[in-house]
Amino acid sequence: MNKKGQALVEYVLIIALISVVIIGLVNIFGGYLKDAMTKSSCNLVGQEYVEGKKPGEGSCKSESN
């Protein structure tokens, strides 16, 4: 029997499953992660963070406006 081939297939299936889970999590929480990065960058450049209608749509706005 070829157990090496069987083990390789199992590893590929595990990696594929983990990849699908990670892609799903990024799709669900990606907007929140983008907003967190935008908030940080707004603070660095001295601008005010403005929330968007949906997660991931936030932006920076100049504080003088």
Side-chain angles (χ1 to χ4, degrees):
M1 291 192 170
N2 188 359
K3 292 190 178 193
K4 288 183 181 180
Q6 180 183 355
L8 180 62
V9 170
E10 290 172 356
Y11 287 132
V12 169
L13 289 174
I14 291 170
I15 292 171
L17 178 63
I18 291 171
S19 299
V20 168
V21 170
I22 289 173
I23 290 169
L25 290 173
V26 168
N27 283 333
I28 293 169
F29 297 112
Y32 298 106
L33 295 172
K34 184 177 178 183
D35 281 343
M37 295 298 292
T38 303
K39 283 180 189 178
S40 299
S41 64
C42 289
N43 289 333
L44 288 174
V45 296
Q47 293 183 346
E48 180 182 356
Y49 174 75
V50 179
E51 287 190 31
K53 293 179 182 178
K54 298 179 185 176
E57 293 182 351
S59 63
C60 296
K61 178 180 160 187
S62 178
E63 291 181 14
S64 62
N65 289 344

